[in-house]
Amino acid sequence: MRQDQAAGIARGTTVDVGDATTRFLLYGLLPGWFLPGVADWAMHRRTRIEDTAGTKESLIHSLMMAEVGLPIALTLRYEVNPLLLSVQLGAAAVHEATALWDVRTAVGSDREVKPVEQHIHSFLESLPFGGLASLMCLHADQVRSLLRGGRGDPDAWRLVPRRRPLSPGYLAGIGLAIGVCVLLPYGEELVRCGQAERARKRRARERGAAPRKMKGSGESCVSRFWWHPRASSRSS
């Protein structure tokens, strides 16, 4: 489709497409990201992750949060340019690979990944690509600059603070949502898995120590009986 054809289709709209897309990203997609994240945590808790995949899978979840959180934090504070687009594209690819590792770990541990959880995963996997596609449409000039290797743009490969920073209230609200919907539940999951793992190791040590203790007690009794004077006299 030629540019003039696209402009002709958009001419009938009653709102600015760029403004509407920006509002969707800030007040729709990003806040909506937290809901499937909390739902996924609830599914992990329901299937007792601490008794199956345990700390390993929980650490993978933390890694995935970092892979998503870093590009989001950078995008909220800096201008979109070839450097930021490269970070976002790389993070999306790594996040997808980590998601496959996550599911493989869960299934290999015999943790039941229910159909509902699989659908939650589909939301969590598609949202980064949806957000990135919207940003690339908003900043098509930066996409072209990236394809040219940033030639002719002195700011292409450095972080440039936003010319129009987001409001402190919005940033505070997003930070609070991250704390409540990401850090708190997934931190609780990691702590719970660590406690369960330590409890299993403690029980294993106790089971290993019990036979040795019984064996030592038996030898002591035999020794006391063998060397007891009355026992020696009776045996003679």
Side-chain angles (χ1 to χ4, degrees), residues 23-224:
R23 289 200 304 269
F24 164 71
L25 287 172
L26 292 176
Y27 302 105
L29 187 143
L30 183 53
W33 209 322
F34 301 126
L35 298 178
V38 173
D40 196 36
W41 165 80
M43 293 301 301
H44 302 160
R45 187 178 181 88
R46 182 179 179 182
T47 54
R48 299 191 62 82
I49 183 175
E50 66 272 18
D51 295 330
T52 52
T55 306
K56 180 181 179 181
E57 187 182 358
S58 186
L59 286 172
I60 294 175
H61 297 158
S62 299
L63 176 60
M64 295 170 69
M65 301 301 167
E67 292 166 353
V68 171
L70 176 61
I72 288 177
L74 292 176
T75 305
L76 292 176
R77 297 302 301 270
Y78 298 98
E79 291 287 340
V80 175
N81 62 4
L83 173 59
L84 194 51
L85 286 172
S86 299
V87 172
Q88 293 164 343
L89 288 166
V94 173
H95 179 267
E96 185 67 18
T98 309
L100 294 174
W101 181 24
D102 173 43
V103 175
R104 188 179 298 113
T105 300
V107 173
S109 69
D110 293 331
R111 184 174 77 81
E112 183 182 5
V113 182
K114 296 179 179 293
V116 174
E117 184 176 347
Q118 295 176 19
H119 280 282
I120 293 172
H121 288 173
S122 68
F123 278 99
L124 291 171
E125 291 179 38
S126 62
L127 286 173
F129 293 103
L132 183 55
S134 299
L135 272 178
M136 294 174 75
C137 289
L138 283 173
H139 301 277
D141 57 332
Q142 297 303 319
V143 176
R144 289 193 293 269
S145 179
L146 173 62
L147 295 176
R148 293 194 302 267
R151 288 194 301 272
D153 184 358
D155 295 330
W157 301 105
R158 69 184 188 91
L159 292 175
V160 180
R162 279 184 170 273
R163 290 185 291 271
R164 297 175 58 188
L166 298 173
S167 69
Y170 177 82
L171 294 176
I174 291 297
L176 178 62
I178 291 173
V180 173
C181 299
V182 178
L183 299 180
L184 186 62
Y186 284 92
E188 183 274 338
E189 176 184 284
L190 186 58
V191 170
R192 177 161 38 91
C193 290
Q195 291 174 341
E197 183 175 348
R198 287 192 295 272
R200 286 193 295 270
K201 290 181 178 178
R202 185 173 59 252
R203 289 194 297 268
R205 287 195 301 267
E206 291 172 353
R207 286 195 298 268
R212 291 195 297 270
K213 184 176 180 182
M214 293 174 61
K215 181 179 178 181
S217 300
E219 290 177 349
S220 178
C221 292
V222 171
S223 177
R224 285 196 299 269

Side-chain angles (χ1 to χ4, degrees), residues 7 9-25 134 137-139 164:
I9 294 173
R11 192 173 296 121
T13 59
T14 58
V15 297
D16 181 81
V17 175
D19 184 56
T21 304
T22 301
R23 289 200 304 269
F24 164 71
L25 287 172
S134 299
C137 289
L138 283 173
H139 301 277
R164 297 175 58 188

